[in-house]
Amino acid sequence: MLDLRERPFTERGSRLLVMAADDGSLRVAEALYETRLDDTTVRAGLRFYAGSRELRVRRALPHRVEFDGDVTLAFADPDTLVAVGEGARAVWDGGETAVDGCVTLAGERTVTDGAKVLAEAAERWAAWFARMPAVPGELRERAEQAWWTLAVNLVRIQGRESLIPSKYGYVGLWNWDSYFHAIALRHADPALAREQIRILLDNQRPDGLIPDVVHDHGVLAETTDLPRSDLARLAQHVGGEPIRHVVPVTKPPLTAWAVWKIHEVDPDPGFLAEVYEPLVRSQQWWFAHSDPDGDGLAEYLHPYSSGLDDSPIWDGGPRAEPPDLNSYLALQYDRLGDIAAALGKDPGEWRARAQALVDRMVERRWNGRRFVTKVAGAADADVRTPLDLMPLLTGRLPAEIADRLVQDLTSPAFWGERPVPTVAFDDPRFDPDAMWRGPVWLNVNYLLIDGLRRSGRPDVAAELAARTLAMVRDGGGLYEYWNPLTGRRAGRATTGFGWSSALFVDLAHAAL
């Protein structure tokens, strides 16, 4: 069931959303890149009447919205919204039309066979839900909501079907979001999962950088922008104007990890051969262009590249080296080794580079208690985040260090009924509602679960997965992030979020 607020009526491939307004009417808006829905209204104040009686929404389903008086809304195609009924009127701000048969409310196409529209819409959605991976019964309702979210977040970007993070404000193909999306798509449509990777690699720069976003008007691969909090704190002024520098932006290097996840479910050596060299160039980019001090440990040169835009690790400046980045790069070396072996190449060099990078992290960033985050090129950040624990993802740590990280994870600093907060519970900067400053994000939990398994702790991985699934099941929706104290939507988190939906489905499927 849709509520027409957090879950609007929309369709796979459609930019149109039908939502409930505060005054009881409906509005139809169009989802566009970097544009507020309030600024893209197609129809406002939409109501239906039979004579003088207003027809209220009876129920909203993925394939239709039903009103009293047998009026029904449905999509004839992604660009065409129609009303089907008899003896009614549709009224909106600035216009009205009779609903006798089938009438188009949004779009240019004239449609006359309402029964066919309704039947085809029902068939489309039945086919999509039939492909949902199996999940335990107690998780099925939320999994169906997640599976619906993935379908409606599929739109065409530059002519290619792309799974966007959300039609509420994230209308583009974002880099690491796409890797998490592919993890769910691989179970039902591995070709579509591979397409998400292809789109990014087809827009890779000659120097190896994979862009941050592929959007309707091009790509985002460099910026002079900073998150709002950083601008207020860091912008220097000359003559009243802030000094800004163009910085390349990407997202954390998880491409080979996602490629191998798809391959594990649906082996495709041809795809591996296609992406192998672009993956190598991406790996090389980080050390050639994102290691300014040349110490062999890559850094994030901009908050956007970390994906953690408002984390307190950026409170010391727009350059940082939290432990997650080089952990991902070590994992990437191992995945390049897997891909090389599958292609009949020698994986030895990649395995050696993976171990050498982990050894370098231990030598230079392990302080005997935790892996430190370097900020502004030199200082140690004092904030505690689960990024400190990401070296578990390498699966290559000395046993005593891996054990210490697991102890930290399961301590009161990070462990609770709803782990894992993005700033430790006992850190003075912990804020359960502020983006990346305390709320639970499913991608962080998913990566830690993966890391625990790779580090030989499947017991803790299973417990973290169970607590994560329970939080989402009971939390009311598929949000961008959750308040770890209440288990509900945190702060200004976007609803209908793609990677939360994708990772929930994958974890639920694995829980069988």
Side-chain angles (χ1 to χ4, degrees):
M1 295 286 286
L2 310 180
D3 62 6
L4 303 184
R5 292 185 182 274
E6 289 188 2
R7 297 181 291 282
F9 182 57
T10 185
E11 176 77 17
R12 176 175 178 170
S14 181
R15 299 293 187 102
L16 300 174
L17 300 91
V18 180
M19 298 171 286
D22 291 339
D23 64 0
S25 67
L26 300 177
R27 70 184 184 103
V28 184
E30 185 176 10
L32 299 175
Y33 178 65
E34 294 291 284
T35 308
R36 298 170 63 249
L37 288 174
D38 288 345
D39 298 328
T40 65
T41 299
V42 176
R43 291 276 184 269
L46 178 63
R47 302 176 189 270
F48 293 91
Y49 292 90
S52 60
R53 179 172 67 95
E54 183 175 353
L55 305 179
R56 299 289 187 177
V57 173
R58 187 165 62 242
R59 63 175 182 167
L61 303 170
H63 62 287
R64 61 197 286 168
V65 179
E66 301 171 354
F67 296 79
D68 296 334
D70 294 326
V71 169
T72 305
L73 282 182
F75 281 90
D77 60 53
D79 301 317
T80 310
L81 176 69
V82 302
V84 180
E86 299 291 339
R89 290 178 300 129
V91 178
W92 61 89
D93 294 353
E96 68 174 87
T97 187
V99 181
D100 282 308
C102 185
V103 60
T104 297
L105 293 179
E108 302 299 324
R109 180 181 164 201
T110 299
V111 182
T112 58
D113 191 340
K116 182 180 179 182
V117 167
L118 297 178
E120 289 179 347
E123 290 170 4
R124 284 195 305 273
W125 279 103
W128 176 254
F129 281 113
R131 300 171 74 181
M132 187 183 85
V135 301
E138 69 272 16
L139 301 176
R140 185 169 182 84
E141 181 178 355
R142 187 68 73 223
E144 288 180 344
Q145 186 186 123
W147 199 240
W148 168 84
T149 299
L150 294 175
V152 300
N153 283 355
L154 283 161
V155 301
R156 300 199 78 78
I157 305 287
Q158 299 184 27
R160 301 173 72 171
E161 191 168 38
S162 307
L163 211 166
I164 64 176
S166 174
K167 287 180 178 175
Y168 286 102
Y170 290 99
V171 185
L173 186 130
W174 259 261
N175 183 318
W176 70 336
D177 296 69
S178 296
Y179 307 144
F180 300 127
H181 296 160
I183 285 171
L185 291 176
R186 66 186 172 141
H187 296 298
D189 194 340
L192 184 57
R194 287 188 283 268
E195 174 69 354
Q196 307 312 294
I197 308 297
R198 280 194 177 102
I199 293 170
L200 288 165
L201 294 181
D202 286 350
N203 286 278
Q204 186 177 27
R205 296 198 320 190
D207 65 1
L209 178 140
I210 301 174
D212 187 6
V213 190
V214 179
H215 55 78
D216 292 326
H217 314 295
V219 301
L220 176 64
E222 56 185 27
T223 188
T224 58
D225 188 25
L226 283 169
R228 187 167 51 250
S229 60
D230 289 317
L231 280 175
R233 184 172 54 254
L234 301 169
Q236 300 177 33
H237 291 78
V238 176
E241 293 298 322
I243 297 174
R244 299 184 185 174
H245 305 283
V246 175
V247 180
V249 288
T250 179
K251 278 293 184 284
L254 288 167
T255 329
W257 173 79
V259 165
W260 193 252
K261 288 276 190 184
I262 300 168
H263 187 75
E264 288 177 320
V265 169
D266 187 63
D268 185 344
F271 180 63
L272 296 185
E274 173 189 339
V275 302
Y276 180 69
E277 290 301 330
L279 293 176
V280 172
R281 288 191 291 113
S282 171
Q283 187 81 349
Q284 291 170 339
W285 180 88
W286 283 95
F287 295 103
H289 298 280
S290 204
D291 180 16
D293 57 11
D295 68 352
L297 294 170
E299 302 179 27
Y300 294 122
L301 303 184
H302 192 284
Y304 290 172
S305 292
S306 73
L308 315 170
D309 302 0
D310 198 35
S311 172
I313 65 173
W314 303 108
D315 288 355
R319 172 183 164 193
E321 184 204 302
D324 67 318
L325 175 54
N326 289 286
S327 302
Y328 301 148
L329 288 165
L331 177 61
Q332 291 278 97
Y333 276 137
D334 268 326
R335 287 313 184 215
L336 284 170
D338 293 334
I339 294 169
L343 296 175
K345 302 176 185 291
D346 182 3
E349 180 183 357
W350 298 125
R351 305 293 188 213
R353 290 188 184 190
Q355 188 61 55
L357 182 54
V358 172
D359 291 345
R360 193 175 304 122
M361 291 172 60
V362 171
E363 176 188 354
R364 300 182 180 181
R365 298 294 181 261
W366 177 252
N367 67 7
R369 303 181 307 280
R370 65 187 181 103
F371 285 94
V372 300
T373 293
K374 291 290 185 182
V375 295
D380 291 356
D382 60 351
V383 63
R384 297 190 64 203
T385 78
L387 302 183
D388 302 351
L389 312 174
M390 281 301 174
L392 288 167
L393 198 56
T394 69
R396 289 180 171 273
L397 293 173
E400 63 274 14
I401 293 179
D403 288 346
R404 178 58 190 263
L405 295 185
V406 174
Q407 290 171 11
D408 281 352
L409 171 63
T410 55
S411 75
F414 291 109
W415 205 249
E417 182 180 352
R418 291 170 286 270
V420 175
T422 42
V423 168
F425 286 119
D426 57 359
D427 190 290
R429 279 146 296 197
F430 170 76
D431 183 333
D433 282 309
M435 185 178 191
W436 293 116
R437 290 175 177 264
V440 175
W441 288 72
L442 255 62
N443 65 325
V444 171
N445 283 20
Y446 188 93
L447 289 167
L448 287 171
I449 290 165
D450 208 7
L452 288 162
R453 290 170 178 157
R454 286 178 58 80
S455 295
R457 292 303 303 268
D459 53 336
V460 183
E463 182 61 24
L464 179 54
R467 294 188 187 204
T468 301
L469 289 167
M471 179 193 72
V472 179
R473 179 196 64 205
D474 301 334
L478 277 305
Y479 305 124
E480 190 178 11
Y481 46 92
W482 282 259
N483 182 312
L485 303 181
T486 67
R488 310 298 291 185
R489 177 184 178 185
R492 300 171 64 184
T494 293
T495 62
F497 199 65
W499 84 36
S500 296
S501 301
L503 298 179
F504 178 81
V505 166
D506 189 80
L507 289 172
H509 180 59
L512 280 173

